Amino acid sequence: ETGVTQTPRHLVMGMTNKKSLKCEQHLGHNAMYWYKQSAKKPLELMFVYSLEERVENNSVPSRFSPECPNSSHLFLHLHTLQPEDSALYLCASSRGSGNEQFFGPGTRLTVL
Amino acid sequence: GEDVEQSLFLSVREGDSSVINCTYTDSSSTYLYWYKQEPGAGLQLLTYIFSNMDMKQDQRLTVLLNKKDKHLSLRIADTQTGDSAIYFCAVLITSGTYKYIFGTGTRLKVLA
């Protein structure tokens, strides 16, 4: 039990769909992260929220839109994605942005 | 720029020791982490070492840090088939804003 849950675990969507990924942490952490994991590539940090404010955005395409309504919940809204966006999307949380991160199981996204 | 490198694959026989290596470029790394990812799961923190330490041992795991060469290794003693997974090295850089940099991961295969 990692204390970080993600739903759905698997998602297949067309390029014109709109969907959202959800992450929830039960660890009392105040920083949350979205990562993209593609085959044979380093983990790519997409967004960081600390104290519910976005502090880092590594120039991710605007078709990915994060939302952090409170310190326990993080969403990633998806809109008109491309097939190359197919990947495992991992959520993580930490106590402060400088401490070790605890990861959720990920959402396996396939864009057709 | 910051970079963390790992070899992609490692195969060992059950009962042998495994050594997974990682090199990094940024000398301002403060914490260095090892994560394990089993199939279909998120990343699980295995162990970490602070940059002023040379070695840390935790049951079957031994972490060695050579700061001069910017080299980190994870040794798994008496490797078991359940250790088959992808192992990620990650460094925390604290010059300026906090930043996590992950390696590409090393896929460990344990042969019975």
Side-chain angles (χ1 to χ4, degrees):
Chain A
E1 175 60 56
T2 63
V4 180
T5 58
Q6 289 186 243
T7 54
R9 293 295 309 276
H10 300 272
L11 179 61
V12 179
M13 59 187 288
M15 289 191 282
T16 57
N17 291 159
K18 287 185 185 180
K19 296 285 184 185
S20 295
L21 309 185
K22 180 182 175 183
C23 176
E24 189 171 353
Q25 59 94 2
H26 310 278
L27 301 168
H29 291 165
N30 57 12
M32 298 186 78
Y33 311 77
W34 279 118
Y35 287 89
K36 177 183 178 182
Q37 185 179 27
S38 304
K40 297 180 185 175
K41 287 187 181 178
L43 272 177
E44 178 187 344
L45 179 63
M46 301 176 74
F47 301 102
V48 180
Y49 277 83
S50 181
L51 299 173
E52 299 162 42
E53 288 191 12
R54 193 162 76 193
V55 296
E56 186 166 348
N57 171 358
N58 286 345
S59 302
V60 175
S62 59
R63 56 186 184 268
F64 295 92
S65 172
E67 179 190 358
C68 187
N70 55 61
S71 60
S72 300
H73 294 86
L74 184 66
F75 295 89
L76 186 63
H77 303 301
L78 315 172
H79 174 52
T80 59
L81 295 191
Q82 303 299 309
E84 60 264 29
D85 297 321
S86 298
L88 181 69
Y89 288 84
L90 291 163
C91 171
S93 70
S94 66
R95 180 170 46 85
S97 57
N99 291 306
E100 60 266 27
Q101 297 176 18
F102 292 78
F103 283 79
T107 295
R108 172 69 62 187
L109 174 67
T110 303
V111 181
L112 302 176
Chain B
E2 307 99 359
D3 196 20
V4 177
E5 291 191 357
Q6 300 177 240
S7 53
L8 288 179
F9 299 101
L10 176 66
S11 281
V12 298
R13 295 211 172 272
E14 193 173 17
D16 288 350
S17 292
S18 310
V19 179
I20 302 170
N21 295 301
C22 171
T23 56
Y24 58 97
T25 55
D26 198 301
S27 56
S28 60
S29 305
T30 52
Y31 282 94
L32 301 101
Y33 302 86
W34 283 105
Y35 286 85
K36 176 184 180 183
Q37 184 180 34
E38 297 187 33
L43 276 67
Q44 173 195 358
L45 179 66
L46 279 181
T47 186
Y48 64 93
I49 189 168
F50 189 51
S51 58
N52 69 354
M53 299 167 65
D54 298 325
M55 186 183 89
K56 181 178 179 182
Q57 187 151 3
D58 184 1
Q59 298 181 341
R60 293 191 297 124
L61 305 178
T62 304
V63 179
L64 294 177
L65 176 60
N66 182 328
K67 252 193 118 170
K68 175 174 165 290
D69 294 338
K70 300 192 184 81
H71 182 265
L72 182 73
S73 68
L74 174 69
R75 179 176 179 270
I76 305 173
D78 187 25
T79 314
Q80 303 298 306
T81 53
D83 295 323
S84 293
I86 303 175
Y87 290 82
F88 289 89
C89 166
V91 299
L92 174 65
I93 295 164
T94 56
S95 59
T97 58
Y98 286 99
K99 205 181 281 190
Y100 260 74
I101 310 292
F102 281 83
T104 52
T106 298
R107 184 178 293 274
L108 173 65
K109 186 173 181 180
V110 181
L111 306 169

